[in-house]
Amino acid sequence: MSHYSRVIGTGGYLPEKVLTNEEISLTVETSDSWIHERTGIKSRRIAAAHESASSMAEIAARQAIEVAGCDPETIDLIIVATGTPDRVYPSTGCLLQQRLGIKNAVAFDVQAACSGSIFGLSIADQYIKSGAAKTVLVVGSEICSRIVDWTDRSTCVLFGDGAGAVLLQAAEEKGILSTHIHSDGEYEDLLYCPNPQAAAKESEEEAGYIIMRGNEVFKVAVNTLGRIVDETLEANDMDKTDIDWLVPHQANIRIIAATAKKLKMSMDQVVVTLETQGNTSSASVLLAFNEAVRDGRIQRGQVVLLEAFGAGFTWGSALIRY
Ligand code: UT7
C-alpha cells in the first residue's frame, strides 16, 4: 500500500511577450517606481492571440511528463486550476486531456482563484492516499491579461500569464506531507471577476474584468497566510527551522516578506518569481516551484512549504518533502 503522493515531474510555461512597467506607464497613470516599490513587479508575460489556458497548460504538462519519464497513459487524473478557462465548458481539464491524447483519465477543473493549484494538490493527494488514483497531473494555467481592465491602474499592473504543472505518483517514500485548504465567501466583494453572460439579467453586473479592493485584500492575506503557516507546522509537529524552502503565491513582495518573517526565514530561502512574472494567479505557485526545482535550488529530501491566498477568499498550503 502506497501512502504518499510523490512529485515525479514539474513543468512551466511563460508566453514570449514581455510587458514592462515602463510600457504600462505609457497608457495609464503609473510609474515603474510605484509598481516596483509597492509590489516587487518589474515586468510580466502576456500571451499571444493564439494562446489560451489549455494551450499553455499543454506545454507545462508535457514538460512535467517528460521530466518524469512517465507514460502519459498511466495518468489517471488530470486537475486544472484556472480562473480563465478557454470555454465555460468543456472544462480546461478535458481540453488538456484531448491535447495530451490521454484516454484513461478523468479530468476536471478547480476554481479557487489564486489558490487553485494548492486546492488541486490537495485533491490530488486525497485521491492518491485513498488509492483512487495512482498518477495525477495538476496544472495551474492563467491568461489573466484577458480579464484585466487595461485602463484600471490599480489592477492592470499586477497580473501576468503563464502555466505551471506538477506530476504526482503514489509512492512509499514521503512526498506531500499534508495539505490544508480553506475558504470564506464572506469576502466576495473585495476581489472578484464578474461573468456578465451568466449574471442575473436584472443585476447591474460590470464588464468581465477583475475588481479588487487591494489594500483590504492585502491585510487579510498577510494575517491569513500567517495562520496557515502555524496550522501546517502544527499538523506535522514541525518547527519553523524544519522548512528548507518557502514557495509562496506571487501577489506582492511585501506579503511574501511578511510570511518569510513569520517563518523566521531569510529571503534566500524564498522562491520569488514575481519580479518578471507578476501575479499569474493559480499558475504562480507551480511556476515558482518548477523554477526552483529546475535550477537546482530545491533538492530531493528537502522540505518545501507551498502556500497561496486568493479570491473567495480561498487559501491553503501544501507541505512537501521533495
Ligand atoms: O492574488 C490574489 C490576492 N491579491 C493580493 O494579495 C493583492 C493584495 N494587495 C496588494 O498587493 C496591494 O494592496 C496593491 C499593490 C494592490 C496596492 O498597494 P497599496 O500599497 O495597498 O496601495 P493602495 O491601494 O492603498 O493605494 C495607494 C495609492 C492610492 O492613491 P491615494 O488614494 O493614496 O491618492 C491609489 O490610487 O496608490 C494609488 N495607486 C497607484 N498609483 C500609481 C493605485 N494603483 C496605482 C498605480 N500607480 N498602479
Side-chain angles (χ1 to χ4, degrees), residues 30 34 38-39 114 153-154 214-215 249 251-252 254-255 279:
T30 187
W34 190 95
R38 299 285 182 122
T39 70
C114 297
R153 71 174 184 176
S154 71
N215 201 274
H249 171 50
N252 189 313
R254 293 180 290 141
I255 298 177
N279 178 349

Side-chain angles (χ1 to χ4, degrees), residues 72-79 93-94 96-98 100-108 133 135-137:
E73 273 311 318
T74 61
I75 296 173
D76 43 18
L77 174 60
I78 299 170
I79 302 172
C94 287
L96 177 61
Q97 176 182 26
Q98 172 66 8
L100 296 173
I102 298 171
K103 290 281 170 223
N104 299 313
V106 63
F108 54 82
T135 308
V136 184
L137 176 65

